């Protein structure tokens, strides 16, 4: 019987070894495929089985978690949900995540291995760490001022710290409450259908995902190109610009809203937004120079993230001279996000460099230990320092003497540029009201904030809509909030 026992023992050993090999294959090498299988509910149960980490603004959490005692136990809650929705996005058991809730999901859910107390801890224990925190760069007062300023109108505001690229405000209206999408009951499905069916598009983040014709605010770019190219060397010299200006190769005449634009100096043309002067300057600079300058300010950048993606702003690189003339005054196919226009204003205020905008200051463990930080970086040198100084002078003139008077702040130097952008078939749409600006307190060494505001449906008669009148006061309120005035 001994040989039979030995053979049986050997067979058992082989079977045990095969079992161990198969267990190793399933639990180690194929574990990820089972974890990611949609039919596997254990991941979702574990994911929502603990409170989600918080998103923090100004030292206070603007998110939370509510214990429902259900299978997917913790639901996301939001403080001032509509105010911060363009930043937080939503975290929904049914519809996934967006914006910071999406890009920082590993930190917030506890899945990031950097939250673990020891290397490979999560792989060994197969558990999640307590959710970490995402500390934003937002200025709570500026965010509130922007949201209040827009009120019930469609529009967006973006504000940046010029020296660093920190995003201080990011607002889009109309907005929505992300808490409506937390949970799994029928009310969540109804809210999803209602929000997606709303013609006002409350879930569209107009500050970073909607592009608009920037109108006369784009003249900052054209002025920078003309100054850097040497097309203009003296701010007060005549520009030899006709009024009206015949678009090259066409019979179309371009006119102005204000008088005395014929042969106007760059200073006067900038202050009173003479279309004819800037259209001709764009043609004089040429397509290559205009396209290069626009790109250096951030146009046509399809990789910008803050950390979630930003829709690329557009300046066409294949244009005839008539199209280039219109593009140089922010019309034709030139389009920009409010964030892009804030970057332009920040570059003027910041000495000519375009800083990479960012929204996350740092991420931490639940206890506050730092996991990662975001540092300032430069995307491009948009113009020479001397050109930026002259543009600061021109933008200051707009506020002190021109169309941006309603953005003036006592105790601070403010630079601005207003714009009214035509759109629609034959320009039949209600014009968009734009205002971009920057502000420096009289006792400060450098500008503290750069702002861009767009209002889609300004509350005025079509002919009375203006960037300085409709968007300027909103920009002023945001700048005052940052300056602490």
């Amino acid at each position: 019987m001994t040989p039979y026992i030995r053979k049986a023992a050997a067979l058992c050993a082989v079977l045990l070894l095969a079992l161990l090999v198969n267990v190793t294959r399933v639990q180690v090498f194929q574990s990820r495929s089972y974890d990611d299988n949609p039919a596997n509910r254990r991941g979702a149960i574990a994911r929502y089985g603990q409170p989600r980490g918080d998103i923090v603004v100004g030292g206070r959490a603007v998110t939370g978690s509510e214990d429902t005692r259900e299978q997917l136990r913790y639901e996301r809650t939001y403080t001032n949900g509509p105010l911060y929705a363009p930043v937080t996005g939503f975290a929904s058991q049914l519809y996934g995540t967006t914006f910071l809730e999406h890009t920082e999901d590993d930190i917030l859910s506890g899945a990031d291995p950097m939250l673990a107390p020891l290397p490979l801890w999560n792989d060994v224990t197969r558990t999640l760490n307590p959710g970490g925190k995402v500390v934003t760069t937002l200025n709570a007062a500026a965010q509130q001022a922007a949201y209040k300023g827009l009120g019930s109108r469609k529009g967006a505001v973006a504000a940046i710290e010029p020296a660093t690229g920190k995003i201080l405000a990011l607002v889009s209206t109309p907005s929505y409450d992300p808490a409506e999408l937390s949970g799994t009951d029928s009310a969540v499905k109804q809210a999803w259908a209602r929000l997606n069916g709303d013609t006002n598009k409350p879930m569209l983040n107009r500050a970073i995902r909607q592009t608009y014709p920037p109108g006369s605010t784009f003249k900052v770019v054209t002025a920078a190109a003309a100054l850097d190219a040497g097309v203009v060397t003296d701010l007060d010299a005549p520009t030899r610009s006709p009024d009206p200006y015949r678009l090259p190769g066409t019979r179309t005449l371009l006119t102005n809203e204000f008088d005395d634009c014929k042969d106007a100096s760059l200073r006067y043309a900038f202050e009173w937004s003479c279309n004819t002067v800037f259209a001709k300057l764009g043609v004089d600079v040429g397509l290559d120079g205009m396209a290069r300058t626009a790109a250096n300010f951030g146009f046509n950048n399809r990789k910008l993230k803050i950390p979630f993606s930003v829709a690329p702003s557009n300046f066409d690189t294949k244009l005839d001279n008539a199209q280039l003339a219109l593009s140089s005054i922010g019309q034709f196919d030139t389009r920009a996000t409010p964030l892009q226009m804030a970057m332009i204003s920040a570059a003027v205020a910041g000495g000519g460099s375009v800083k990479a905008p960012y929204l996350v200051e740092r991420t931490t463990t639940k206890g506050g230990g730092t996991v990662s930080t975001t540092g300032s970086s430069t995307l491009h040198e948009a113009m020479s320092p001397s050109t930026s100084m002259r543009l600061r002078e021109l933008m200051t003139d707009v506020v002190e003497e021109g169309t941006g008077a309603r953005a003036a702040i006592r105790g601070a130097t403010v630079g601005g540029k207003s714009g009214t952008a035509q759109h629609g078939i034959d320009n039949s749409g209600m014009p968009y009201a734009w205002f971009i600006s920057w502000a420096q307190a009289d006792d400060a060494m450098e500008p503290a904030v750069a702002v861009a505001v767009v209002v889609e449906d300004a509350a005025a008669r079509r002919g009375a809509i203006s960037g300085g009148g409709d968007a300027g006061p909103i920009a002023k309120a945001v700048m005052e909030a940052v300056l602490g005035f």
Side-chain angles (χ1 to χ4, degrees):
M1 293 295 291
T2 302
Y4 295 104
I5 294 175
R6 284 200 297 269
K7 292 178 180 180
L11 178 60
C12 289
V14 170
L15 292 175
L16 179 61
L17 179 62
L19 180 62
L20 291 174
V21 169
N22 187 58
V23 168
T24 302
R25 178 181 65 86
V26 171
Q27 293 192 350
V28 177
F29 296 103
Q30 293 186 338
S31 61
R32 181 63 62 183
S33 64
Y34 287 111
D35 287 343
D36 296 339
N37 191 312
N40 182 8
R41 295 272 293 169
R42 296 184 65 181
I45 292 171
R47 174 187 178 85
Y48 295 105
Q50 66 178 21
R52 192 169 172 83
D54 285 323
I55 297 172
V56 178
V57 175
R60 296 184 178 182
V62 297
T63 58
S65 295
E66 180 181 2
D67 189 351
T68 66
R69 305 292 181 180
E70 298 177 359
Q71 187 179 57
L72 301 182
R73 184 167 175 176
Y74 286 92
E75 294 180 1
R76 195 57 150 164
T77 62
Y78 296 87
T79 302
N80 294 327
L83 174 62
Y84 293 109
V87 174
T88 63
F90 60 76
S92 170
Q93 287 96 328
L94 293 181
Y95 303 110
T97 54
T98 57
F99 300 137
L100 284 186
E101 293 278 28
H102 179 73
T103 58
E104 303 300 327
D105 182 64
D106 283 353
I107 288 288
L108 296 169
S109 67
D112 194 317
M114 294 298 292
L115 296 171
L118 296 171
L120 303 179
W121 178 263
N122 291 356
D123 292 335
V124 174
T125 63
R126 309 285 292 173
T127 60
L128 293 174
N129 304 295
K133 297 178 181 179
V134 175
V135 181
T136 72
T137 59
L138 292 180
N139 180 305
Q143 185 82 359
Q144 182 66 53
Y147 187 73
K148 181 180 179 181
L150 285 170
S152 60
R153 295 173 291 182
K154 294 180 187 176
V157 177
I160 297 175
E161 185 176 74
T164 63
K166 291 180 181 180
I167 296 175
L168 304 176
L170 201 69
V171 169
S172 175
T173 57
S175 190
Y176 72 104
D177 189 352
E180 290 188 272
L181 302 178
S182 298
T184 58
D185 58 20
S186 59
V188 174
K189 297 177 181 178
Q190 292 170 4
W192 178 258
R194 172 174 50 79
L195 291 170
N196 280 283
D198 192 331
T199 57
N200 290 322
K201 299 181 179 179
M203 289 199 294
L204 171 64
N205 190 336
R206 290 171 165 82
I208 62 160
R209 296 282 171 84
Q210 181 68 50
T211 59
Y212 303 86
S216 292
T217 57
F218 189 80
K219 292 172 183 174
V220 174
V221 178
T222 304
L227 288 166
D228 269 350
V231 172
V232 175
T233 57
D234 184 344
L235 297 183
D236 297 300
T239 55
R240 298 182 181 178
S241 304
D243 182 11
Y245 173 64
R246 187 184 299 275
L247 297 180
T250 77
R251 295 182 178 180
T252 302
L253 296 178
L254 186 65
T255 59
N256 299 291
E257 295 291 332
F258 297 95
D259 297 328
D260 300 325
C261 285
K262 182 178 179 179
D263 296 329
S265 67
L266 182 60
R267 186 186 303 277
Y268 182 90
F270 194 92
E271 187 175 325
W272 296 105
S273 210
C274 296
N275 289 330
T276 52
V277 173
F278 283 93
K280 183 178 182 296
L281 284 177
V283 175
D284 290 346
V285 170
L287 178 59
D288 288 345
M290 284 297 301
R292 181 170 56 253
T293 301
N296 286 339
F297 273 104
F299 283 79
N300 302 327
N301 183 352
R302 301 184 179 279
K303 298 180 180 179
L304 182 62
K305 296 184 177 181
I306 61 170
F308 40 84
S309 62
V310 178
S313 298
N314 180 70
F315 186 86
D316 283 355
T317 57
K318 295 181 179 180
L319 299 168
D320 61 31
N321 279 342
Q323 294 166 339
L324 176 59
L326 293 174
S327 296
S328 298
I329 60 171
Q331 297 290 167
F332 192 59
D333 285 339
T334 303
R335 299 184 68 86
T337 62
L339 179 63
Q340 172 62 68
M341 299 312 295
M343 291 166 62
I344 290 173
S345 187
V348 173
S353 64
V354 178
K355 298 296 183 181
Y358 63 98
L359 192 54
V360 176
E361 181 82 53
R362 65 185 183 277
T363 60
T364 74
T365 63
K366 182 180 180 180
T370 299
V371 174
S372 67
T373 59
T374 305
S376 177
S377 62
T378 300
L379 287 178
H380 301 284
E381 293 297 331
M383 61 194 132
S384 67
S386 62
T387 292
S388 73
M389 288 299 295
R390 287 191 282 183
L391 277 172
R392 285 180 63 170
E393 184 179 338
L394 293 177
M395 292 183 75
T396 302
D397 288 345
V398 169
V399 174
E400 293 181 351
E401 303 174 10
T403 59
R406 296 187 66 183
I409 299 172
R410 181 175 296 181
T413 300
V414 177
K417 184 71 187 81
S418 60
T420 305
Q422 308 293 333
H423 67 101
I425 299 174
D426 295 328
N427 293 332
S428 60
M430 187 70 76
Y432 299 135
W434 277 97
F435 196 78
I436 65 174
S437 60
W438 51 266
Q440 177 178 345
D442 289 346
D443 59 353
M445 296 294 293
E446 59 187 12
V449 58
V451 184
V453 179
V454 64
V455 181
E456 290 188 26
D457 49 355
R461 293 179 293 105
R462 177 184 172 89
I465 292 172
S466 69
D470 293 288
I474 302 173
K476 175 181 179 179
V478 173
M479 292 186 289
E480 287 180 327
V482 174
L483 295 174
F485 287 5

